[in-house]
mmCIF file of all heavy atoms in Angstrom:
data_model
loop_
_atom_site.group_PDB
_atom_site.id
_atom_site.type_symbol
_atom_site.label_atom_id
_atom_site.label_comp_id
_atom_site.label_asym_id
_atom_site.label_seq_id
_atom_site.Cartn_x
_atom_site.Cartn_y
_atom_site.Cartn_z
ATOM 1 N N HIS A 20 -15.261 -28.356 -9.533
ATOM 2 C CA HIS A 20 -15.542 -27.501 -10.711
ATOM 3 C C HIS A 20 -14.626 -27.866 -11.877
ATOM 4 O O HIS A 20 -14.985 -27.986 -13.022
ATOM 5 C CB HIS A 20 -15.407 -26.037 -10.315
ATOM 6 C CG HIS A 20 -15.878 -25.154 -11.418
ATOM 7 N ND1 HIS A 20 -15.281 -23.861 -11.632
ATOM 8 C CD2 HIS A 20 -16.815 -25.290 -12.347
ATOM 9 C CE1 HIS A 20 -15.936 -23.279 -12.652
ATOM 10 N NE2 HIS A 20 -16.831 -24.122 -13.084
ATOM 11 N N LEU A 21 -13.329 -27.978 -11.572
ATOM 12 C CA LEU A 21 -12.319 -28.378 -12.557
ATOM 13 C C LEU A 21 -12.621 -29.803 -13.164
ATOM 14 O O LEU A 21 -12.499 -30.051 -14.343
ATOM 15 C CB LEU A 21 -10.911 -28.317 -11.979
ATOM 16 C CG LEU A 21 -10.431 -26.948 -11.517
ATOM 17 C CD1 LEU A 21 -9.100 -27.066 -10.820
ATOM 18 C CD2 LEU A 21 -10.402 -26.004 -12.671
ATOM 19 N N ALA A 22 -13.050 -30.682 -12.241
ATOM 20 C CA ALA A 22 -13.367 -32.051 -12.684
ATOM 21 C C ALA A 22 -14.560 -32.045 -13.654
ATOM 22 O O ALA A 22 -14.566 -32.725 -14.682
ATOM 23 C CB ALA A 22 -13.633 -32.988 -11.461
ATOM 24 N N LEU A 23 -15.574 -31.224 -13.334
ATOM 25 C CA LEU A 23 -16.724 -31.141 -14.157
ATOM 26 C C LEU A 23 -16.386 -30.540 -15.608
ATOM 27 O O LEU A 23 -16.830 -31.074 -16.598
ATOM 28 C CB LEU A 23 -17.812 -30.270 -13.549
ATOM 29 C CG LEU A 23 -19.129 -30.026 -14.336
ATOM 30 C CD1 LEU A 23 -19.789 -31.334 -14.597
ATOM 31 C CD2 LEU A 23 -20.020 -29.084 -13.576
ATOM 32 N N LEU A 24 -15.527 -29.556 -15.556
ATOM 33 C CA LEU A 24 -15.083 -28.946 -16.840
ATOM 34 C C LEU A 24 -14.318 -30.030 -17.636
ATOM 35 O O LEU A 24 -14.500 -30.103 -18.890
ATOM 36 C CB LEU A 24 -14.210 -27.763 -16.577
ATOM 37 C CG LEU A 24 -14.903 -26.469 -16.144
ATOM 38 C CD1 LEU A 24 -13.892 -25.352 -15.860
ATOM 39 C CD2 LEU A 24 -15.921 -25.988 -17.189
ATOM 40 N N GLY A 25 -13.521 -30.798 -16.977
ATOM 41 C CA GLY A 25 -12.726 -31.826 -17.672
ATOM 42 C C GLY A 25 -13.614 -32.877 -18.307
ATOM 43 O O GLY A 25 -13.388 -33.300 -19.468
ATOM 44 N N VAL A 26 -14.623 -33.315 -17.510
ATOM 45 C CA VAL A 26 -15.599 -34.292 -18.115
ATOM 46 C C VAL A 26 -16.282 -33.740 -19.328
ATOM 47 O O VAL A 26 -16.475 -34.485 -20.326
ATOM 48 C CB VAL A 26 -16.600 -34.754 -17.004
ATOM 49 C CG1 VAL A 26 -17.688 -35.572 -17.621
ATOM 50 C CG2 VAL A 26 -15.855 -35.530 -15.900
ATOM 51 N N VAL A 27 -16.715 -32.508 -19.194
ATOM 52 C CA VAL A 27 -17.455 -31.874 -20.360
ATOM 53 C C VAL A 27 -16.522 -31.818 -21.597
ATOM 54 O O VAL A 27 -16.969 -32.152 -22.719
ATOM 55 C CB VAL A 27 -17.941 -30.504 -19.987
ATOM 56 C CG1 VAL A 27 -18.471 -29.790 -21.190
ATOM 57 C CG2 VAL A 27 -18.990 -30.548 -18.887
ATOM 58 N N PHE A 28 -15.295 -31.373 -21.425
ATOM 59 C CA PHE A 28 -14.386 -31.281 -22.533
ATOM 60 C C PHE A 28 -14.026 -32.615 -23.151
ATOM 61 O O PHE A 28 -13.970 -32.799 -24.397
ATOM 62 C CB PHE A 28 -13.118 -30.536 -22.131
ATOM 63 C CG PHE A 28 -13.255 -29.037 -22.158
ATOM 64 C CD1 PHE A 28 -13.235 -28.338 -20.925
ATOM 65 C CD2 PHE A 28 -13.461 -28.324 -23.338
ATOM 66 C CE1 PHE A 28 -13.395 -26.943 -20.925
ATOM 67 C CE2 PHE A 28 -13.648 -26.931 -23.310
ATOM 68 C CZ PHE A 28 -13.599 -26.296 -22.127
ATOM 69 N N VAL A 29 -13.792 -33.643 -22.279
ATOM 70 C CA VAL A 29 -13.416 -34.946 -22.757
ATOM 71 C C VAL A 29 -14.601 -35.520 -23.565
ATOM 72 O O VAL A 29 -14.457 -36.125 -24.615
ATOM 73 C CB VAL A 29 -13.056 -35.874 -21.613
ATOM 74 C CG1 VAL A 29 -12.960 -37.298 -22.041
ATOM 75 C CG2 VAL A 29 -11.737 -35.432 -21.024
ATOM 76 N N ASN A 30 -15.810 -35.381 -23.030
ATOM 77 C CA ASN A 30 -17.037 -35.876 -23.703
ATOM 78 C C ASN A 30 -17.170 -35.238 -25.042
ATOM 79 O O ASN A 30 -17.489 -35.913 -26.050
ATOM 80 C CB ASN A 30 -18.239 -35.656 -22.825
ATOM 81 C CG ASN A 30 -19.499 -36.118 -23.486
ATOM 82 O OD1 ASN A 30 -19.718 -37.377 -23.697
ATOM 83 N ND2 ASN A 30 -20.435 -35.277 -23.795
ATOM 84 N N ALA A 31 -16.973 -33.935 -25.137
ATOM 85 C CA ALA A 31 -17.063 -33.234 -26.405
ATOM 86 C C ALA A 31 -16.018 -33.710 -27.371
ATOM 87 O O ALA A 31 -16.285 -33.856 -28.601
ATOM 88 C CB ALA A 31 -16.973 -31.717 -26.182
ATOM 89 N N LEU A 32 -14.832 -33.914 -26.892
ATOM 90 C CA LEU A 32 -13.771 -34.417 -27.766
ATOM 91 C C LEU A 32 -14.051 -35.767 -28.327
ATOM 92 O O LEU A 32 -13.800 -36.044 -29.540
ATOM 93 C CB LEU A 32 -12.400 -34.412 -27.050
ATOM 94 C CG LEU A 32 -11.742 -33.051 -26.755
ATOM 95 C CD1 LEU A 32 -10.550 -33.241 -25.904
ATOM 96 C CD2 LEU A 32 -11.375 -32.378 -28.072
ATOM 97 N N VAL A 33 -14.641 -36.640 -27.538
ATOM 98 C CA VAL A 33 -14.997 -37.968 -28.017
ATOM 99 C C VAL A 33 -15.992 -37.866 -29.122
ATOM 100 O O VAL A 33 -15.935 -38.520 -30.182
ATOM 101 C CB VAL A 33 -15.562 -38.778 -26.863
ATOM 102 C CG1 VAL A 33 -16.195 -40.087 -27.367
ATOM 103 C CG2 VAL A 33 -14.457 -39.123 -25.861
ATOM 104 N N HIS A 34 -16.976 -36.957 -28.969
ATOM 105 C CA HIS A 34 -17.997 -36.825 -29.998
ATOM 106 C C HIS A 34 -17.429 -36.180 -31.237
ATOM 107 O O HIS A 34 -17.812 -36.455 -32.386
ATOM 108 C CB HIS A 34 -19.165 -35.962 -29.481
ATOM 109 C CG HIS A 34 -20.058 -36.731 -28.564
ATOM 110 N ND1 HIS A 34 -20.977 -37.674 -29.000
ATOM 111 C CD2 HIS A 34 -20.172 -36.679 -27.210
ATOM 112 C CE1 HIS A 34 -21.615 -38.205 -27.951
ATOM 113 N NE2 HIS A 34 -21.149 -37.601 -26.864
ATOM 114 N N LEU A 35 -16.450 -35.293 -31.119
ATOM 115 C CA LEU A 35 -15.824 -34.616 -32.264
ATOM 116 C C LEU A 35 -15.016 -35.611 -33.047
ATOM 117 O O LEU A 35 -14.916 -35.496 -34.309
ATOM 118 C CB LEU A 35 -14.901 -33.484 -31.798
ATOM 119 C CG LEU A 35 -15.660 -32.202 -31.299
ATOM 120 C CD1 LEU A 35 -14.620 -31.231 -30.770
ATOM 121 C CD2 LEU A 35 -16.472 -31.595 -32.401
ATOM 122 N N THR A 36 -14.423 -36.593 -32.427
ATOM 123 C CA THR A 36 -13.548 -37.537 -33.184
ATOM 124 C C THR A 36 -14.337 -38.727 -33.681
ATOM 125 O O THR A 36 -13.774 -39.644 -34.274
ATOM 126 C CB THR A 36 -12.427 -38.014 -32.265
ATOM 127 O OG1 THR A 36 -12.990 -38.584 -31.037
ATOM 128 C CG2 THR A 36 -11.503 -36.899 -31.852
ATOM 129 N N THR A 37 -15.617 -38.816 -33.375
ATOM 130 C CA THR A 37 -16.456 -39.937 -33.834
ATOM 131 C C THR A 37 -16.887 -39.680 -35.304
ATOM 132 O O THR A 37 -17.179 -38.589 -35.688
ATOM 133 C CB THR A 37 -17.704 -40.081 -32.980
ATOM 134 O OG1 THR A 37 -17.296 -40.281 -31.560
ATOM 135 C CG2 THR A 37 -18.532 -41.251 -33.424
ATOM 136 N N ASP A 38 -16.887 -40.740 -36.126
ATOM 137 C CA ASP A 38 -17.275 -40.606 -37.512
ATOM 138 C C ASP A 38 -18.748 -40.196 -37.565
ATOM 139 O O ASP A 38 -19.566 -40.711 -36.829
ATOM 140 C CB ASP A 38 -17.048 -41.935 -38.244
ATOM 141 C CG ASP A 38 -15.534 -42.239 -38.409
ATOM 142 O OD1 ASP A 38 -14.766 -41.339 -38.313
ATOM 143 O OD2 ASP A 38 -15.236 -43.487 -38.464
ATOM 144 N N HIS A 39 -19.027 -39.359 -38.503
ATOM 145 C CA HIS A 39 -20.424 -38.885 -38.730
ATOM 146 C C HIS A 39 -20.951 -39.368 -40.040
ATOM 147 O O HIS A 39 -20.178 -39.610 -41.039
ATOM 148 C CB HIS A 39 -20.451 -37.345 -38.684
ATOM 149 C CG HIS A 39 -20.087 -36.822 -37.359
ATOM 150 N ND1 HIS A 39 -20.994 -36.587 -36.350
ATOM 151 C CD2 HIS A 39 -18.855 -36.397 -36.872
ATOM 152 C CE1 HIS A 39 -20.399 -36.081 -35.296
ATOM 153 N NE2 HIS A 39 -19.104 -35.944 -35.562
ATOM 154 N N ASP A 40 -22.218 -39.552 -40.099
ATOM 155 C CA ASP A 40 -22.898 -39.983 -41.347
ATOM 156 C C ASP A 40 -22.926 -38.861 -42.324
ATOM 157 O O ASP A 40 -22.757 -37.703 -42.004
ATOM 158 C CB ASP A 40 -24.283 -40.505 -41.070
ATOM 159 C CG ASP A 40 -24.324 -41.709 -40.162
ATOM 160 O OD1 ASP A 40 -23.314 -42.448 -40.191
ATOM 161 O OD2 ASP A 40 -25.275 -41.900 -39.385
ATOM 162 N N GLU A 41 -23.209 -39.247 -43.575
ATOM 163 C CA GLU A 41 -23.217 -38.178 -44.629
ATOM 164 C C GLU A 41 -24.289 -37.166 -44.332
ATOM 165 O O GLU A 41 -24.202 -36.007 -44.742
ATOM 166 C CB GLU A 41 -23.499 -38.843 -45.946
ATOM 167 C CG GLU A 41 -22.292 -39.671 -46.442
ATOM 168 C CD GLU A 41 -21.063 -38.855 -46.690
ATOM 169 O OE1 GLU A 41 -21.190 -37.701 -47.079
ATOM 170 O OE2 GLU A 41 -19.964 -39.398 -46.555
ATOM 171 N N GLY A 42 -25.372 -37.538 -43.651
ATOM 172 C CA GLY A 42 -26.472 -36.602 -43.476
ATOM 173 C C GLY A 42 -26.246 -35.663 -42.316
ATOM 174 O O GLY A 42 -27.020 -34.707 -42.144
ATOM 175 N N ASP A 43 -25.209 -35.826 -41.564
ATOM 176 C CA ASP A 43 -24.984 -34.928 -40.449
ATOM 177 C C ASP A 43 -24.409 -33.593 -40.872
ATOM 178 O O ASP A 43 -23.955 -33.463 -42.018
ATOM 179 C CB ASP A 43 -23.982 -35.550 -39.433
ATOM 180 C CG ASP A 43 -24.524 -36.740 -38.718
ATOM 181 O OD1 ASP A 43 -25.795 -36.801 -38.568
ATOM 182 O OD2 ASP A 43 -23.792 -37.599 -38.346
ATOM 183 N N PHE A 44 -24.517 -32.605 -40.026
ATOM 184 C CA PHE A 44 -23.989 -31.286 -40.354
ATOM 185 C C PHE A 44 -22.429 -31.301 -40.274
ATOM 186 O O PHE A 44 -21.892 -31.505 -39.175
ATOM 187 C CB PHE A 44 -24.527 -30.213 -39.377
ATOM 188 C CG PHE A 44 -26.013 -30.067 -39.484
ATOM 189 C CD1 PHE A 44 -26.854 -30.576 -38.502
ATOM 190 C CD2 PHE A 44 -26.555 -29.361 -40.529
ATOM 191 C CE1 PHE A 44 -28.210 -30.416 -38.626
ATOM 192 C CE2 PHE A 44 -27.912 -29.190 -40.632
ATOM 193 C CZ PHE A 44 -28.792 -29.761 -39.701
ATOM 194 N N ARG A 45 -21.803 -31.144 -41.407
ATOM 195 C CA ARG A 45 -20.302 -31.275 -41.469
ATOM 196 C C ARG A 45 -19.643 -30.110 -40.714
ATOM 197 O O ARG A 45 -18.480 -30.272 -40.293
ATOM 198 C CB ARG A 45 -19.827 -31.287 -42.908
ATOM 199 C CG ARG A 45 -20.216 -32.552 -43.593
ATOM 200 C CD ARG A 45 -19.570 -33.807 -43.000
ATOM 201 N NE ARG A 45 -19.908 -35.000 -43.711
ATOM 202 C CZ ARG A 45 -19.443 -36.216 -43.333
ATOM 203 N NH1 ARG A 45 -18.665 -36.349 -42.297
ATOM 204 N NH2 ARG A 45 -19.781 -37.286 -44.044
ATOM 205 N N TRP A 46 -20.370 -28.991 -40.547
ATOM 206 C CA TRP A 46 -19.725 -27.849 -39.900
ATOM 207 C C TRP A 46 -19.781 -27.909 -38.375
ATOM 208 O O TRP A 46 -19.148 -27.146 -37.689
ATOM 209 C CB TRP A 46 -20.437 -26.577 -40.340
ATOM 210 C CG TRP A 46 -21.913 -26.581 -40.292
ATOM 211 C CD1 TRP A 46 -22.820 -26.940 -41.284
ATOM 212 C CD2 TRP A 46 -22.716 -26.412 -39.086
ATOM 213 N NE1 TRP A 46 -24.103 -26.892 -40.870
ATOM 214 C CE2 TRP A 46 -24.111 -26.579 -39.486
ATOM 215 C CE3 TRP A 46 -22.494 -26.077 -37.805
ATOM 216 C CZ2 TRP A 46 -25.145 -26.475 -38.632
ATOM 217 C CZ3 TRP A 46 -23.476 -25.943 -36.908
ATOM 218 C CH2 TRP A 46 -24.819 -26.116 -37.324
ATOM 219 N N ALA A 47 -20.597 -28.818 -37.847
ATOM 220 C CA ALA A 47 -20.794 -28.859 -36.426
ATOM 221 C C ALA A 47 -19.510 -29.215 -35.628
ATOM 222 O O ALA A 47 -19.193 -28.544 -34.678
ATOM 223 C CB ALA A 47 -21.944 -29.863 -36.103
#
Side-chain angles (χ1 to χ4, degrees):
H20 189 212
L21 297 176
L23 178 60
L24 287 176
V26 170
V27 171
F28 278 112
V29 169
N30 180 65
L32 286 174
V33 169
H34 285 285
L35 286 176
T36 56
T37 303
D38 293 334
H39 295 272
D40 297 332
E41 292 295 331
D43 292 334
F44 296 105
R45 292 296 182 180
W46 50 263

